[in-house]
Amino acid sequence: MEIQSRCFPYDKSIVINALYDTLEALGLHLDSSNSIRGTLVVSDAQHTGKIRIALNNEGNTGRTRVDVLLEHSADADEGITGKWSPVILDELSGTIQRALQREGKDLK
């Protein structure tokens, strides 16, 4: 299973808050989360499978890597990650950019 990733030049706390907003906007169901570790498990409306989203703060450099991969289970549908991974990552990027524009901060 291929992991889809994207790095964001922002602190983990900013990225995880934007991720919660992104998941809500996309209509994905949050099955579980651990904000301290930076892991979330989500499913689509049909519950055809689960996606694990992991945030890594890249060695505390003010950068956060977001990895999207299939949450393994007996009934896992690997197609769910191929469908949702690019959508989640693109929408997350847009969510962060819109938030920064509203706050009048420079975009990187």
Side-chain angles (χ1 to χ4, degrees):
M1 176 79 242
E2 184 178 322
I3 298 172
Q4 293 197 18
S5 301
R6 188 171 298 169
C7 286
F8 295 91
Y10 307 106
D11 185 70
K12 185 175 162 182
S13 63
I14 291 170
V15 176
I16 200 164
N17 285 325
L19 185 55
Y20 284 124
D21 292 343
T22 298
L23 297 173
E24 183 178 346
L26 292 173
L28 294 172
H29 181 262
L30 182 61
D31 295 322
S32 67
S33 68
N34 183 327
S35 297
I36 303 299
R37 289 187 59 203
T39 58
L40 295 88
V41 176
V42 300
S43 57
D44 61 1
Q46 295 78 28
H47 297 283
T48 58
K50 294 185 180 199
I51 302 168
R52 176 176 294 276
I53 304 171
L55 285 74
N56 182 333
N57 64 348
E58 297 289 299
N60 294 323
T61 61
R63 296 180 54 84
T64 302
R65 187 181 76 234
V66 178
D67 298 325
V68 182
L69 57 146
L70 180 68
E71 173 72 358
H72 295 286
S73 66
D75 60 345
D77 176 3
E78 293 190 22
I80 190 172
T81 52
K83 174 184 174 185
W84 282 107
S85 294
V87 174
I88 292 168
L89 293 171
D90 287 346
E91 186 62 27
L92 176 58
S93 180
T95 300
I96 292 171
Q97 289 177 355
R98 286 187 298 276
L100 291 173
Q101 286 174 339
R102 281 192 305 266
E103 294 179 15
K105 295 183 180 179
D106 278 338
L107 298 178
K108 294 185 179 190

